């Protein structure tokens, strides 16, 4: 056993170091998409990110940034390395967890032998490395997100309770339980997923310290649920909630200074715990003493959230929700801005809202009265009870996404009636368990079709057989589900996310599950609890509607961790079987079994997954954000929309310090007071924005929304309407039905008058642009709206008050179309659109929408200043977010070429076309219909050979696509029709391009296109 212990430590460290090496080698060298840019930026300067916060992650990320002396160019990489090392150590603890469980099983049936020892090590190696190279875990391991660190705390906590199990009869064994409490407290400051290991912890203790009985089993299960609930719904929000009540009472009732109630509360809390410790020691109450120590260390870990309060009060540039006091911190922790979803009882998607029910008050600090002022309430909607039920899975009434349609597709519910319980459960099984869990599970242990986000059905209700499904690599199985699997077209064959494992990891895991269950039912139930709680239970709790913004497999990787334990036990099962059958040298059999299963599972997974998880050459999120900032003129205002517009831009400004003169506004966050009010202040080199409304008129509880009450006054000047809302005149407000007053907008039609002479005098427009400048803009706010919200009001205020002093850019013009005349006056400059007071003369000379292109500036940016994510590098990883952005930028190259041709700059147009195809090559970014513009522009510039070569390449690609689609069985044809029609459209567009005087050099291609189009038009 002494030899076993030494080898277990050595091999474990070898496995851990190998995993760390893999993850560091493949880690992205800068920020990635989604929340990564925000997390790195908030860690780098200890700012306040989105709810419910990740202060432990931020502290550790900040420490890692110190390794390179806070070098802005390596800070993102260092936070990614933190994730890589956390993930590598997760593999280390997984290895040790498998070997501990394996040793326990072996010793249950006899003594440790060399054969059994090496079998255990082989099991740990195969199981740990299978998880190391699994799709979803590897994805999180190489980026600066919270899920890698959260997985580390889960792995550490589970290992710690197994370690306790080994020493439970020794003195001081309870220190491991206290250690676990501390880890859970720290993990709360990363992500709440770690709490789900608690039931497994409880049952390890129960099986070790109590004689198992049926009644005891249910008591232990109940206790685990109570502990989980107490921490999740009691301690985490409860401590803050009580602090808020004390603070409100001391300040508003007793007239004491701000924060006095909070100080008294925490003094009382600490005093109570100290007294409890003294009492437990005096009375020798070991259980009470241990419980209090667990609570203390849980609270010490949880105390990292004080950082958010401290930094929020410091007024950091990123300060989401401004959790400055107990009340705002409570809303922050409860994720109030995201709303809630029913779990046990609630509405179906067919329910009408019939009222609201107040839940908790909102208070803000009023320095004038030196009291807290109530400014609103958090509330829940009350729904028609006839459309409510138990365990509602089909609940979303949102109109933002087509939830109702997909509820019907997955459940089979016809029309608009309330779903039956059978239909509700059918949706739960097909969507939640099938699409949102088992599909992800199969991705990791069977194979993945591609990295294109799948929705299960298209908008017409046809089964999606092309996007985001699981596959196995076994032809007859995959063809039965998803159609032909040989002679795949480029868009499927070249997708880096296409990985096949031939069911081998799944089979090995199922063997291990059966083996552990037969040999050690108690330990197998503990692993099953970990598997269930970190997988299916999450899916049940989240109750996600269909059409999520992105795939959510990262949220259930804990269950894949548990399954990797069974993969390890699969090696033990095979080795034991072979030893019984072959009667050969046990150590030799252990070695052969390990070698074969390691090759068949972890090595195969590594070979399949490496290309789509190696992000070492990828910099698209960082480069595209930099391009956005470089597109702006000095002191500009940049309005972004979603996470992938905003967070990489925040990273560039906050970490790399690029263009900090630009003020960035997120239109989705601008509905919040904490996003609008800071715009009144200078940040870095960015001046404050000019508003007509005062800062306090954008405060919480003020102008959260403005009623639309059309007074039939006709079209009015926008500034007049803004001043009307800004006025303190009682005639500008109207009473609310529930009490109080609200401002209203007297007209939805406005005019923005433009003084061309003044703009020319101030240098806002040039002499050439003067002739195209309009005397006024007119816009109608969408009919049917009964209110505008704070974000709308702020943007209208900016438009009216800015008076063209600062350039305004929008990343997504369509996002502002409800309140601005953006579609007619958004001019492409670089990769984003600038709101200008004139019609660009090349407006109708390109296929681009909106208001033309600033050709000279955009050409210089595209050719000389922008970087394009290194996408043409052979090892560059192309994910779905990168692909979408790259396709848009490739179109922008084509639009710019068209505009240059219209201006007679053919040489420049050819350079742009060449550059677009160079930085976005087809083998990385698949051709789409818009590449036809490249062909047309090559023809128009006299580069007929290049145009013809590109046209032939497109025809080859789309003909292969079309032939592939035509091989599908009839049941899939309706889904494939848009894809087939795209190919036909490409053929038609190319043929039309050749009819513009290029028939002679394209005779062969022309004939080929006619042949392809015959019978298909």
């Amino acid at each position: 056993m002494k030899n076993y212990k030494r080898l277990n430590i050595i091999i474990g460290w070898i496995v851990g170091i190998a995993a760390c090496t893999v993850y560091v080698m493949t880690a992205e060298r800068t920020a990635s998409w989604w929340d990564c840019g925000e997390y790195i930026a908030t860690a780098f300067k200890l700012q306040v990110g989105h709810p419910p916060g990740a202060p432990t992650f931020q502290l550790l990320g900040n420490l890692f940034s110190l390794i390179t002396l806070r070098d802005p160019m390596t800070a993102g990489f260092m936070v990614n390395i933190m994730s890589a090392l956390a993930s590598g150590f997760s593999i280390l603890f997984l290895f040790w967890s498998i070997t501990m469980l394996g040793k326990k099983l072996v010793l249950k049936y006899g003594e440790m032998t060399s054969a059994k020892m090496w079998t255990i090590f082989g099991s740990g190696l195969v199981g740990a490395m299978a998880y190391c190279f699994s799709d979803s875990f590897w994805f999180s391991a190489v980026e600066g997100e919270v899920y890698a660190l959260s997985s580390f705390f889960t792995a550490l906590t589970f290992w710690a309770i197994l370690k306790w199990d080994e020493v439970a009869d020794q003195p001081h064994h309870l220190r491991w339980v206290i250690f676990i409490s501390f880890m859970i407290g720290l993990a709360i400051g990363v992500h709440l997923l770690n709490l789900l290991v608690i039931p497994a912890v409880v049952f390890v203790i129960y099986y070790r310290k109590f004689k198992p009985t049926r009644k005891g089993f249910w008591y232990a299960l109940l206790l685990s649920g109570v502990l989980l609930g107490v921490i999740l719904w009691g301690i985490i929000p409860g401590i803050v909630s009580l602090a808020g009540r004390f603070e409100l009472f001391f300040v508003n009732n007793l007239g004491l200074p701000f924060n006095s109630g909070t100080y008294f509360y925490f003094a009382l809390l600490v005093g109570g715990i100290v007294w409890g410790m003294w009492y437990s020691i005096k009375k020798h109450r070991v259980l009470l003493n241990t419980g209090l120590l667990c609570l203390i260390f849980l609270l010490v870990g949880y105390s990292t959230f004080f950082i958010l309060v401290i930094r929020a009060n410091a007024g950091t540039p990123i300060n989401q929700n401004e959790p400055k006091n107990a009340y705002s911190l409570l809303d922050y922790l409860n994720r109030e801005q995201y709303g809630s979803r029913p779990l046990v009882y609630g509405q179906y998607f067919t329910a009408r809202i019939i009222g609201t029910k107040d839940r908790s008050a909102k208070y803000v600090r009023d320095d004038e009265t030196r009291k807290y002022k109530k400014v609103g309430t958090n509330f829940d909607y009350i729904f028609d009870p006839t459309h409510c039920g138990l365990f509602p899975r089909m609940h979303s009434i949102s109109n933002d996404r087509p939830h109702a349609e997909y509820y019907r597709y997955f459940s089979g519910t016809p029309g608009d009636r309330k779903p039956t319980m059978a239909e509700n459960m059918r949706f739960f099984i097909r969507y939640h368990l099938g699409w949102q869990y088992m599909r992800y599970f199969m991705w990791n242990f069977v194979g993945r079709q591609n990295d294109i986000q799948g929705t299960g059905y298209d908008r017409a209700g046809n089964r999606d057989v092309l996007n985001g499904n699981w596959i196995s690599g076994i032809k007859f199985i995959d063809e039965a589900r998803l159609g032909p699997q040989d002679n795949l077209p480029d868009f499927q064959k070249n997708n880096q996310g296409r990985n096949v494992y031939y069911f081998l990891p799944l089979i090995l895991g199922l063997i291990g599950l059966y083996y552990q269950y037969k040999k050690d039912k108690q330990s197998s139930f503990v692993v099953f609890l970990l598997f269930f709680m970190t997988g299916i239970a999450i899916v049940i709790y989240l109750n996600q509607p269909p059409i999520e913004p992105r795939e959510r497999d990262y949220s259930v990787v804990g269950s894949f961790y548990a399954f990797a334990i069974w993969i390890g036990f699969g090696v033990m099962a095979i080795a034991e079987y072979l030893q019984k059958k072959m009667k050969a040298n046990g150590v030799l059999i252990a070695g052969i079994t390990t070698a074969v299963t390691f090759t068949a599972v972890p090595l195969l997974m590594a070979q399949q997954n490496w290309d789509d998880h190696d992000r070492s050459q990828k910099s698209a999120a960082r480069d595209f954000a930099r391009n956005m900032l470089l597109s702006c003129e000095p002191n500009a205002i940049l309005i972004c929309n979603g996470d992938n517009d905003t967070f990489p831009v925040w990273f560039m400004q906050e970490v790399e310090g690029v263009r900090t003169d630009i003020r960035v506004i997120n239109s989705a966050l601008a509905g919040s007071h904490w996003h609008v009010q800071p715009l009144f202040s200078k940040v870095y080199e960015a001046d404050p924005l000019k508003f007509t409304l005062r800062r306090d008129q954008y405060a919480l509880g003020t102008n959260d929304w403005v009623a639309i009450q059309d007074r039939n006054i006709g079209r009015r000047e926008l500034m007049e309407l803004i001043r009307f809302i800004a006025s303190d005149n009682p005639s500008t407000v109207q009473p609310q039905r529930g009490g109080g007053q609200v401002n209203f907008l007297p007209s939805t039609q406005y005019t923005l008058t433009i003084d061309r002479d003044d703009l020319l005098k101030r240098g806002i427009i040039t002499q050439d642009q003067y002739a195209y400048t309009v005397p006024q803009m007119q816009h109608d706010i969408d009919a049917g709206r009964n209110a505008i919200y704070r974000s709308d009001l702020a943007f209208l205020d900016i438009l009216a008050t800015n008076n063209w002093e600062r350039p305004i850019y929008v990343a997504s013009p369509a996002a502002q179309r409800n309140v601005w005349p953006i579609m007619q006056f958004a001019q492409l400059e670089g990769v984003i659109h600038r709101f200008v007071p004139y019609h660009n003369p090349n407006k109708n000379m390109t296929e681009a929408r909106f208001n033309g292109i600033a050709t000279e500036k955009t050409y210089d940016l595209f050719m000389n200043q922008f970087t394009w994510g290194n996408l043409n590098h052979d090892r560059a990883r192309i994910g779905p977010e990168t692909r979408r952005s790259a396709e848009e930028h490739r179109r922008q190259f084509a639009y710019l070429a068209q505009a240059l041709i219209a201006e007679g700059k053919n040489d420049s147009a050819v350079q742009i076309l060449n550059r677009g195809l160079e930085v976005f090559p087809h083998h990385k970014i698949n051709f789409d219909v818009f590449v036809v513009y490249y062909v047309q522009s090559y023809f128009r510039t006299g580069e007929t050979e290049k145009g013809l070569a590109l046209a032939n390449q497109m025809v080859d690609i789309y003909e292969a696509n079309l032939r592939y689609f035509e091989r599908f069985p009839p049941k899939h044809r309706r889904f494939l029709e848009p894809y087939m029609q795209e190919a036909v459209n490409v053929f038609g567009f190319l043929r039309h391009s050749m009819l513009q005087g290029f028939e002679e050099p394209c005779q062969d291609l022309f004939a080929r296109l006619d042949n392809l189009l015959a019978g298909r038009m």
Side-chain angles (χ1 to χ4, degrees), residues 787-802:
I788 61 171
Y789 296 92
R790 182 182 282 108
S791 57
D792 303 323
L793 177 61
F795 290 132
L796 288 171
D797 195 348
I798 291 170
L799 180 60
T801 312
N802 182 56

PDB file of all heavy atoms in Angstrom, residues 787-802:
ATOM      1  N   ALA A 787     -45.693  52.705 -24.862  1.00  0.00           N
ATOM      2  CA  ALA A 787     -44.667  53.302 -24.012  1.00  0.00           C
ATOM      3  C   ALA A 787     -43.318  53.204 -24.699  1.00  0.00           C
ATOM      4  O   ALA A 787     -43.104  52.370 -25.586  1.00  0.00           O
ATOM      5  CB  ALA A 787     -44.620  52.600 -22.655  1.00  0.00           C
ATOM      6  N   ILE A 788     -42.420  54.092 -24.302  1.00  0.00           N
ATOM      7  CA  ILE A 788     -41.011  53.920 -24.616  1.00  0.00           C
ATOM      8  C   ILE A 788     -40.280  53.728 -23.289  1.00  0.00           C
ATOM      9  O   ILE A 788     -40.777  54.158 -22.238  1.00  0.00           O
ATOM     10  CB  ILE A 788     -40.423  55.118 -25.396  1.00  0.00           C
ATOM     11  CG1 ILE A 788     -40.526  56.417 -24.578  1.00  0.00           C
ATOM     12  CG2 ILE A 788     -41.095  55.274 -26.749  1.00  0.00           C
ATOM     13  CD1 ILE A 788     -39.784  57.584 -25.189  1.00  0.00           C
ATOM     14  N   TYR A 789     -39.147  53.084 -23.340  1.00  0.00           N
ATOM     15  CA  TYR A 789     -38.439  52.762 -22.109  1.00  0.00           C
ATOM     16  C   TYR A 789     -37.181  53.616 -21.975  1.00  0.00           C
ATOM     17  O   TYR A 789     -36.851  54.403 -22.846  1.00  0.00           O
ATOM     18  CB  TYR A 789     -38.138  51.265 -22.071  1.00  0.00           C
ATOM     19  CG  TYR A 789     -39.411  50.457 -22.019  1.00  0.00           C
ATOM     20  CD1 TYR A 789     -40.023  50.009 -23.192  1.00  0.00           C
ATOM     21  CD2 TYR A 789     -40.040  50.197 -20.805  1.00  0.00           C
ATOM     22  CE1 TYR A 789     -41.212  49.303 -23.148  1.00  0.00           C
ATOM     23  CE2 TYR A 789     -41.237  49.492 -20.747  1.00  0.00           C
ATOM     24  CZ  TYR A 789     -41.818  49.055 -21.926  1.00  0.00           C
ATOM     25  OH  TYR A 789     -43.001  48.374 -21.876  1.00  0.00           O
ATOM     26  N   ARG A 790     -36.516  53.475 -20.844  1.00  0.00           N
ATOM     27  CA  ARG A 790     -35.385  54.344 -20.553  1.00  0.00           C
ATOM     28  C   ARG A 790     -34.367  54.346 -21.693  1.00  0.00           C
ATOM     29  O   ARG A 790     -33.804  55.385 -22.028  1.00  0.00           O
ATOM     30  CB  ARG A 790     -34.706  53.911 -19.250  1.00  0.00           C
ATOM     31  CG  ARG A 790     -33.549  54.808 -18.864  1.00  0.00           C
ATOM     32  CD  ARG A 790     -32.850  54.348 -17.608  1.00  0.00           C
ATOM     33  NE  ARG A 790     -33.583  54.714 -16.398  1.00  0.00           N
ATOM     34  CZ  ARG A 790     -34.241  53.880 -15.633  1.00  0.00           C
ATOM     35  NH1 ARG A 790     -34.279  52.602 -15.964  1.00  0.00           N
ATOM     36  NH2 ARG A 790     -34.877  54.284 -14.539  1.00  0.00           N
ATOM     37  N   SER A 791     -34.100  53.171 -22.283  1.00  0.00           N
ATOM     38  CA  SER A 791     -33.130  53.111 -23.373  1.00  0.00           C
ATOM     39  C   SER A 791     -33.592  53.937 -24.565  1.00  0.00           C
ATOM     40  O   SER A 791     -32.805  54.699 -25.151  1.00  0.00           O
ATOM     41  CB  SER A 791     -32.901  51.656 -23.794  1.00  0.00           C
ATOM     42  OG  SER A 791     -34.127  51.051 -24.177  1.00  0.00           O
ATOM     43  N   ASP A 792     -34.866  53.830 -24.927  1.00  0.00           N
ATOM     44  CA  ASP A 792     -35.395  54.626 -26.036  1.00  0.00           C
ATOM     45  C   ASP A 792     -35.279  56.113 -25.733  1.00  0.00           C
ATOM     46  O   ASP A 792     -34.869  56.914 -26.590  1.00  0.00           O
ATOM     47  CB  ASP A 792     -36.871  54.278 -26.289  1.00  0.00           C
ATOM     48  CG  ASP A 792     -37.095  52.813 -26.581  1.00  0.00           C
ATOM     49  OD1 ASP A 792     -36.250  52.208 -27.259  1.00  0.00           O
ATOM     50  OD2 ASP A 792     -38.117  52.266 -26.117  1.00  0.00           O
ATOM     51  N   LEU A 793     -35.668  56.485 -24.518  1.00  0.00           N
ATOM     52  CA  LEU A 793     -35.615  57.883 -24.124  1.00  0.00           C
ATOM     53  C   LEU A 793     -34.185  58.416 -24.174  1.00  0.00           C
ATOM     54  O   LEU A 793     -33.930  59.523 -24.668  1.00  0.00           O
ATOM     55  CB  LEU A 793     -36.190  58.050 -22.714  1.00  0.00           C
ATOM     56  CG  LEU A 793     -36.137  59.463 -22.113  1.00  0.00           C
ATOM     57  CD1 LEU A 793     -36.942  60.438 -22.961  1.00  0.00           C
ATOM     58  CD2 LEU A 793     -36.657  59.435 -20.670  1.00  0.00           C
ATOM     59  N   ALA A 794     -33.240  57.624 -23.677  1.00  0.00           N
ATOM     60  CA  ALA A 794     -31.846  58.060 -23.670  1.00  0.00           C
ATOM     61  C   ALA A 794     -31.325  58.266 -25.088  1.00  0.00           C
ATOM     62  O   ALA A 794     -30.639  59.259 -25.374  1.00  0.00           O
ATOM     63  CB  ALA A 794     -30.987  57.043 -22.930  1.00  0.00           C
ATOM     64  N   PHE A 795     -31.666  57.356 -25.991  1.00  0.00           N
ATOM     65  CA  PHE A 795     -31.175  57.487 -27.363  1.00  0.00           C
ATOM     66  C   PHE A 795     -31.824  58.675 -28.078  1.00  0.00           C
ATOM     67  O   PHE A 795     -31.174  59.384 -28.854  1.00  0.00           O
ATOM     68  CB  PHE A 795     -31.408  56.191 -28.142  1.00  0.00           C
ATOM     69  CG  PHE A 795     -30.519  55.057 -27.693  1.00  0.00           C
ATOM     70  CD1 PHE A 795     -31.031  53.803 -27.429  1.00  0.00           C
ATOM     71  CD2 PHE A 795     -29.159  55.258 -27.515  1.00  0.00           C
ATOM     72  CE1 PHE A 795     -30.222  52.771 -27.006  1.00  0.00           C
ATOM     73  CE2 PHE A 795     -28.329  54.224 -27.089  1.00  0.00           C
ATOM     74  CZ  PHE A 795     -28.865  52.979 -26.830  1.00  0.00           C
ATOM     75  N   LEU A 796     -33.104  58.911 -27.816  1.00  0.00           N
ATOM     76  CA  LEU A 796     -33.757  60.090 -28.388  1.00  0.00           C
ATOM     77  C   LEU A 796     -33.133  61.376 -27.829  1.00  0.00           C
ATOM     78  O   LEU A 796     -32.910  62.354 -28.557  1.00  0.00           O
ATOM     79  CB  LEU A 796     -35.252  60.060 -28.095  1.00  0.00           C
ATOM     80  CG  LEU A 796     -36.074  59.016 -28.876  1.00  0.00           C
ATOM     81  CD1 LEU A 796     -37.492  58.943 -28.321  1.00  0.00           C
ATOM     82  CD2 LEU A 796     -36.103  59.353 -30.367  1.00  0.00           C
ATOM     83  N   ASP A 797     -32.839  61.350 -26.535  1.00  0.00           N
ATOM     84  CA  ASP A 797     -32.207  62.499 -25.888  1.00  0.00           C
ATOM     85  C   ASP A 797     -30.824  62.762 -26.493  1.00  0.00           C
ATOM     86  O   ASP A 797     -30.461  63.910 -26.800  1.00  0.00           O
ATOM     87  CB  ASP A 797     -32.098  62.229 -24.387  1.00  0.00           C
ATOM     88  CG  ASP A 797     -31.792  63.492 -23.583  1.00  0.00           C
ATOM     89  OD1 ASP A 797     -31.442  64.524 -24.177  1.00  0.00           O
ATOM     90  OD2 ASP A 797     -31.904  63.429 -22.335  1.00  0.00           O
ATOM     91  N   ILE A 798     -30.056  61.705 -26.668  1.00  0.00           N
ATOM     92  CA  ILE A 798     -28.722  61.855 -27.270  1.00  0.00           C
ATOM     93  C   ILE A 798     -28.825  62.423 -28.675  1.00  0.00           C
ATOM     94  O   ILE A 798     -28.086  63.346 -29.053  1.00  0.00           O
ATOM     95  CB  ILE A 798     -28.002  60.493 -27.290  1.00  0.00           C
ATOM     96  CG1 ILE A 798     -27.645  60.058 -25.861  1.00  0.00           C
ATOM     97  CG2 ILE A 798     -26.741  60.553 -28.153  1.00  0.00           C
ATOM     98  CD1 ILE A 798     -27.164  58.629 -25.763  1.00  0.00           C
ATOM     99  N   LEU A 799     -29.753  61.896 -29.460  1.00  0.00           N
ATOM    100  CA  LEU A 799     -29.906  62.355 -30.844  1.00  0.00           C
ATOM    101  C   LEU A 799     -30.272  63.838 -30.891  1.00  0.00           C
ATOM    102  O   LEU A 799     -29.721  64.602 -31.699  1.00  0.00           O
ATOM    103  CB  LEU A 799     -30.979  61.521 -31.546  1.00  0.00           C
ATOM    104  CG  LEU A 799     -31.275  61.880 -33.005  1.00  0.00           C
ATOM    105  CD1 LEU A 799     -30.033  61.728 -33.871  1.00  0.00           C
ATOM    106  CD2 LEU A 799     -32.411  61.003 -33.542  1.00  0.00           C
ATOM    107  N   ALA A 800     -31.192  64.256 -30.020  1.00  0.00           N
ATOM    108  CA  ALA A 800     -31.640  65.644 -30.040  1.00  0.00           C
ATOM    109  C   ALA A 800     -30.579  66.589 -29.486  1.00  0.00           C
ATOM    110  O   ALA A 800     -30.386  67.699 -30.004  1.00  0.00           O
ATOM    111  CB  ALA A 800     -32.931  65.777 -29.228  1.00  0.00           C
ATOM    112  N   THR A 801     -29.878  66.166 -28.449  1.00  0.00           N
ATOM    113  CA  THR A 801     -28.971  67.063 -27.727  1.00  0.00           C
ATOM    114  C   THR A 801     -27.571  67.095 -28.312  1.00  0.00           C
ATOM    115  O   THR A 801     -26.883  68.116 -28.232  1.00  0.00           O
ATOM    116  CB  THR A 801     -28.906  66.645 -26.241  1.00  0.00           C
ATOM    117  OG1 THR A 801     -30.232  66.460 -25.736  1.00  0.00           O
ATOM    118  CG2 THR A 801     -28.200  67.699 -25.410  1.00  0.00           C
ATOM    119  N   ASN A 802     -27.150  66.007 -28.876  1.00  0.00           N
ATOM    120  CA  ASN A 802     -25.782  65.929 -29.409  1.00  0.00           C
ATOM    121  C   ASN A 802     -25.531  66.952 -30.515  1.00  0.00           C
ATOM    122  O   ASN A 802     -24.435  67.498 -30.648  1.00  0.00           O
ATOM    123  CB  ASN A 802     -25.511  64.511 -29.931  1.00  0.00           C
ATOM    124  CG  ASN A 802     -24.107  64.337 -30.445  1.00  0.00           C
ATOM    125  OD1 ASN A 802     -23.132  64.571 -29.746  1.00  0.00           O
ATOM    126  ND2 ASN A 802     -23.993  63.942 -31.700  1.00  0.00           N
TER     127      ASN A 802
END
